[in-house]
Amino acid sequence: MFDAIQIDKSEEGQSVTLTQVSPDALPEGDVLVDVAYSTLNYKDALAITGASPVVRSFPMVPGIDFSGIVAESAHPDFKAGDRVVLNGWGVGEKHWGGLAGQARVKGDWLVPLPDGISLKQAMAIGTAGYTAMLCVMALDRQGVTPEKGEIVVTGAAGGVGSVAVALLAKRGYQVAAVTGRTSETDYLTGLGASSIVDRAELSAPGRPLGKERWAGAVDVAGSTVLANVLAAIKYRGAVAACGLAAGMDLPASVAPFILRGVTLVGVDSVMCPREERMEAWRLLAEELDLDKLDSMITEVPMDKVIETAPLFLEGKIRGRIVVPVAPDLA
Ligand code: NDP
């Protein structure tokens, strides 16, 4: 038996408990992993609080991420003892996830953990950090180089935002960090932000086109914030949009696209093809400054996961939450 967070649903509604689960109850899969670390992302908070219908079947073990050691494998690419990381693929939504002592998954979903990243660092990065790298890769593909000008990152003090700021700064970009918490200015400049923008500047409906301020953007907010970011992107710039922290709508006009040739690139981490996620993890191992990553981490033990989740929805989480499930495995 091992510890697991479990979400159940009945006529009275959703309930979440820290419970004991038998390995026999695990779903099908060709690889069994002993989970060392998991993490909390915004989506895990939606699942645990029930604020959004993220979970598709019950009972469900949440946790869209985990890192751990392969215990048993019938998959040709993995053997017992391998260090692996998993992000997405519907794990923690429709297939039992990482907030448990063990997980049984498809080997095709696993990425071998690159040398130089510990099991704990893998979850400090987590889906948030891997998505931040997908956003940076998307801007790079659009030709947004550091000489083109400053990049704006919204939700900068959150998980995706923090890693995006650190990665962009490391690549030599000037980074404008948008935050609703200007009290986090020292944290953000420590990650490499060159300027801080008060979120209030971007939260009210604005004009279809504004002053050209930024060469590119990583946006976790959506809604009016994304509309205002688009209106302030320089000629032929690009915006990587991955989140909805401000809302799922997009009250924008086509003006930035047809008058400035701006590109809006959608970024999805969940079903991202294996080759691209391997590349993202390779680049994270190569480029992410691990001291900066350390400054983002708050550890939350399994018995505090349920009470921590609502803090995401209140915008109170700074950086990344790491959940040590069985840290002695590392
Ligand atoms: P966090 O909660 O860690 O960060 C979100 C940040 O957004 C907050 O810390 C806050 O930063 C900012 N924020 C909160 N409310 C608002 C608001 N009303 N308007 C503008 N900004 C706001 O979450 P994550 O970093 O884990 O995820 C961020 C978003 O990205 C989520 O919407 C998540 O669902 C999405 N996501 C999408 C993925 C994909 O595959 N497409 C993968 C991973 C995440 P501050 O206080 O600095 O302003």
Side-chain angles (χ1 to χ4, degrees):
M1 300 289 278
F2 51 79
D3 282 349
I5 306 286
Q6 199 165 57
I7 305 176
D8 275 296
K9 198 172 187 179
S10 66
E11 278 172 12
E12 285 87 61
Q14 179 171 306
S15 61
V16 193
T17 46
L18 173 60
T19 185
Q20 287 269 299
V21 166
S22 151
D24 299 339
L26 288 170
E28 285 189 7
D30 49 6
V31 182
L32 178 68
V33 180
D34 289 327
V35 175
Y37 289 91
S38 189
T39 168
L40 288 177
N41 297 276
Y42 194 86
K43 192 184 264 181
D44 300 310
L46 293 176
I48 290 168
T49 59
S52 183
V54 167
V55 176
R56 317 278 177 75
S57 66
F58 299 89
M60 177 56 58
V61 172
I64 63 171
D65 286 329
F66 61 77
S67 63
I69 310 260
V70 171
E72 292 168 16
S73 171
H75 189 284
D77 293 353
F78 297 99
K79 58 178 189 326
D82 286 350
R83 298 180 334 133
V84 290
V85 60
L86 181 139
N87 309 107
W89 295 117
V91 169
E93 299 179 61
K94 50 191 182 193
H95 186 102
W96 283 15
L99 287 164
Q102 288 192 316
R104 192 181 290 123
V105 296
K106 285 190 182 173
D108 290 350
W109 297 341
L110 293 168
V111 169
L113 193 57
D115 290 342
I117 298 186
S118 69
L119 291 164
K120 180 176 173 183
Q121 286 159 344
M123 282 301 99
I125 295 168
T127 288
Y130 141 68
T131 303
M133 182 48 100
L134 292 178
C135 290
V136 172
M137 290 160 68
L139 293 182
D140 187 53
R141 271 199 308 274
Q142 295 304 319
V144 181
T145 50
E147 315 74 68
K148 299 270 171 72
E150 199 175 37
I151 307 297
V152 65
V153 175
T154 61
V160 176
S162 293
V163 180
V165 169
L167 288 172
L168 289 163
K170 183 75 184 295
R171 285 194 174 195
Y173 292 92
Q174 297 288 303
V175 184
V178 179
T179 184
R181 294 174 279 177
T182 42
S183 54
E184 298 294 357
T185 296
D186 287 350
Y187 167 71
L188 291 166
T189 50
L191 294 180
S194 40
S195 64
I196 305 294
V197 177
D198 190 332
R199 188 205 295 165
E201 269 188 52
L202 297 171
S203 295
R207 291 183 303 171
L209 271 186
K211 186 170 167 280
E212 293 184 52
R213 289 176 81 176
W214 300 299
V218 172
D219 179 64
V220 309
S223 194
T224 305
V225 174
L226 175 55
N228 287 328
V229 164
L230 284 165
I233 296 296
K234 291 184 181 186
Y235 190 72
R236 299 206 106 182
V239 176
C242 71
L244 44 60
M248 199 143 177
D249 59 333
L250 180 53
S253 87
V254 296
F257 310 121
I258 64 173
L259 298 176
R260 291 195 182 147
V262 168
T263 302
L264 178 58
V265 188
V267 173
D268 165 60
S269 65
V270 180
M271 302 306 289
C272 175
R274 189 174 161 80
E275 297 69 39
E276 200 172 326
R277 48 177 86 212
M278 300 271 280
E279 176 65 359
W281 276 100
R282 188 188 69 74
L283 291 170
L284 283 160
E286 206 172 279
E287 297 182 20
L288 185 58
D289 185 330
L290 295 178
D291 288 338
K292 287 185 180 168
L293 184 65
D294 277 347
S295 76
M296 299 175 202
I297 299 175
T298 304
E299 283 200 37
V300 169
M302 283 285 268
D303 63 357
K304 295 278 186 288
V305 160
I306 296 169
E307 66 194 61
T308 303
L311 301 179
F312 276 87
L313 309 186
E314 295 163 24
K316 289 187 179 154
I317 297 294
R318 177 174 108 172
R320 298 281 301 125
I321 301 292
V322 172
V323 181
V325 179
D328 293 346
L329 282 173

